[in-house]
Amino acid sequence: MTAYLLERAWLGDRFHDDVLVEVEDGRFASVTPDSDPPRAIPVRGLVVPGLANTHSHAFHRALRGRTQRERGTFWTWRDQMYDVAARLDPDTYLALARATYREMAAAGITCVGEFHYLHHQPDGTPYADPNEMGLALVHAAREAGIRITLLDTVYLSSGFGAAPEGAQVRYSDGSVASWVDRVDALVEGGHARVGAAVHSVRAVPAADLDAVAAWVGDRPLHVHVSEQVAENDACLAAYDVTPTRLLADHGLVGPTTSLVHATHLTDDDVTLIGGARAYAAFCPTTERDLGDGVGPSRRLHDAGARLTLGSDSHAVIDPFEEMRAVELDERLATQQRGHWTAQELLTAATTDGHASLGWVDAGAIAVGQRADLVVLDPASPRTAGTGRDENTAVFAAAAEDVRRVMADGRWIADDGDRAAIGRELDDVIGRIRT
């Protein structure tokens, strides 16, 4: 057992001083505020629980800074994403994901939900091990020191009945039955769990949704929903209902479902999602990068939904920016302040985020929980003079203020790692691009 004295730590309600935590077998064995033990290891700074990134496409990291050269939309950006998707093999996928997950770890992320659909070879032929690409992600997370929920994705159509084309052919298993056969072969490990994803209502025909629901059961299920107005229009034309209503009608909106983006919703959609106690996975830095729009985060929460946060395309990997962006985007949309408290946003990034990925034993500094710690510098140019409280963490801090990160009782990152992570990313992205 190892004892640490946390100078100032978030315990779910507020920051407490001199918090003694004892860590045994990767979990908190005791948590005691206002302590002064003689032999505990001091941990200086503001300490928050490990953060969960609930929506990631690791290979999109290769696009950062390369998609800003011309005017366009989500759909023109997608063409550039497909170009990268067509270039990857298991080795480069592993290297890119490992570097990306190391960047996440350095930003305070201890668990990632990887929305994985790069399944097969570029011509659609399965690898000798049909899960080779998914296993590359699992290995990458282990090597970076973080946990992963592999959200293995069903993708059968390029759009409301059209066959996959181009890079999409490597996404498709051909049928739900083939997808189930492949995913059933995945084995969960100590740092890895397996969930499911429906890429979107345009990528999985309505006739196949019942079969997906039958396999999913109570596993985490994530779905891209209403990210674009064009998606809503096409779904209405094909099925005469919104994407949310279509999913709900097939049993795919429930308390273990995460609706990703949930940007362009009707009042009925909001009521459905909230009434199901589903999660709404917002990715503000990607949604603004792609010009998606601002989703109704507060209305969803008030209806009963639970907010979580993701970095999606990794235009930025900064969970503190994602947290405050939810509030700041609401301010822009409504011209009013004060929609979300810092405590609510920390909950979204910690306990609710982990729970949405199936890790209900993570995201809090509490007895029995996984020993994850994120140590912030309270005296950086961003955080100095801000009060050393939850508002400092959410509305002032940035990924660069993370000094050290612990996951499952093991220190996995410190601020001295950033230069090496940068070199690693530069190398692997260069290999993919050449």
Side-chain angles (χ1 to χ4, degrees), residues 114-138:
E114 183 63 35
F115 201 103
H116 166 57
Y117 51 82
L118 268 179
H119 300 309
H120 305 300
Q121 298 183 58
D123 65 356
T125 304
Y127 288 97
D129 181 341
N131 284 305
E132 187 164 356
M133 293 291 270
L135 292 173
L137 295 165
V138 172

Side-chain angles (χ1 to χ4, degrees), residues 167-368:
Q168 298 167 345
V169 298
R170 71 185 310 186
Y171 306 168
S172 178
D173 289 295
S175 69
V176 173
S178 294
W179 169 75
V180 167
D181 287 343
R182 182 177 54 74
V183 179
D184 275 344
L186 288 165
V187 178
E188 296 187 333
H191 80 293
R193 292 184 177 162
V194 178
V198 169
H199 180 275
S200 57
V201 295
R202 67 179 184 272
V204 180
D208 292 302
L209 293 176
D210 288 342
V212 175
W215 184 85
V216 168
D218 60 0
R219 296 176 178 89
L221 170 71
H222 291 225
V223 191
H224 292 131
V225 170
S226 295
E227 183 178 4
Q228 296 292 317
V229 172
E231 174 189 314
N232 287 356
D233 292 343
C235 186
L236 285 164
Y239 302 119
D240 202 30
V241 292
T242 66
T244 297
R245 170 57 71 180
L246 181 67
L247 293 165
D249 287 348
H250 290 274
L252 288 171
V253 179
T256 60
T257 306
S258 290
L259 288 309
V260 182
H261 302 304
T263 306
H264 302 284
L265 302 179
T266 66
D267 290 343
D268 182 57
D269 293 338
V270 172
T271 300
L272 278 171
I273 295 167
R277 291 285 292 155
Y279 297 95
F282 273 45
C283 308
T285 61
T286 288
E287 287 150 9
R288 69 191 182 201
D289 182 60
L290 298 181
D292 289 345
V294 177
S297 63
R298 191 70 223 186
R299 285 201 296 128
L300 282 163
H301 180 274
D302 291 345
R306 291 163 290 175
L307 178 71
T308 72
L309 299 164
S311 61
D312 191 4
S313 69
H314 314 308
V316 175
I317 295 178
D318 186 338
F320 305 95
E321 176 63 19
E322 305 291 353
M323 279 188 268
R324 63 176 158 266
V326 174
E327 164 65 18
L328 299 181
D329 285 355
E330 283 275 8
R331 294 180 187 183
L332 287 174
T334 65
Q335 300 180 55
Q336 293 182 331
R337 295 163 56 90
H339 302 272
W340 289 90
T341 67
Q343 181 175 353
E344 289 174 323
L345 294 170
L346 276 170
T347 298
T350 56
T351 51
D352 283 353
H354 283 95
S356 77
L357 298 174
W359 301 89
V360 296
D361 58 348
I365 302 173
V367 173

Side-chain angles (χ1 to χ4, degrees), residues 362-373:
I365 302 173
V367 173
Q369 291 275 293
R370 290 173 178 270
D372 294 357
L373 300 172

Side-chain angles (χ1 to χ4, degrees), residues 16 21-22 24 62 140 146 178 236 252 296 321 356 386 398-399 409 421 426:
H16 295 254
V21 296
E22 293 180 305
E24 185 173 24
I146 68 174
S178 294
L236 285 164
L252 288 171
E321 176 63 19
S356 77
T386 59
I421 294 168
D426 200 43

Side-chain angles (χ1 to χ4, degrees), residues 61 64 95-96 99-100 103 420-430:
R61 177 60 182 83
R64 186 186 297 175
L96 179 57
T100 303
E103 184 181 359
I421 294 168
R423 290 191 296 271
E424 187 176 349
L425 283 161
D426 200 43
D427 175 69
V428 65
I429 293 171

Side-chain angles (χ1 to χ4, degrees), residues 57-145:
H57 301 292
F59 77 93
H60 289 190
R61 177 60 182 83
L63 294 166
R64 186 186 297 175
R66 296 175 179 270
T67 62
Q68 314 295 336
R69 300 185 182 95
E70 58 186 28
R71 291 174 65 90
T73 66
F74 166 86
W75 306 102
T76 55
W77 168 88
R78 190 176 69 159
D79 291 337
Q80 299 176 69
M81 180 267 287
Y82 284 163
D83 179 64
V84 172
R87 297 170 181 261
L88 291 164
D89 59 33
D91 290 338
T92 52
Y93 202 27
L94 169 62
L96 179 57
R98 180 178 56 230
T100 303
Y101 294 160
R102 289 189 67 205
E103 184 181 359
M104 290 183 195
I109 292 163
T110 55
C111 184
V112 63
E114 183 63 35
F115 201 103
H116 166 57
Y117 51 82
L118 268 179
H119 300 309
H120 305 300
Q121 298 183 58
D123 65 356
T125 304
Y127 288 97
D129 181 341
N131 284 305
E132 187 164 356
M133 293 291 270
L135 292 173
L137 295 165
V138 172
H139 295 327
R142 185 187 64 242
E143 292 174 13

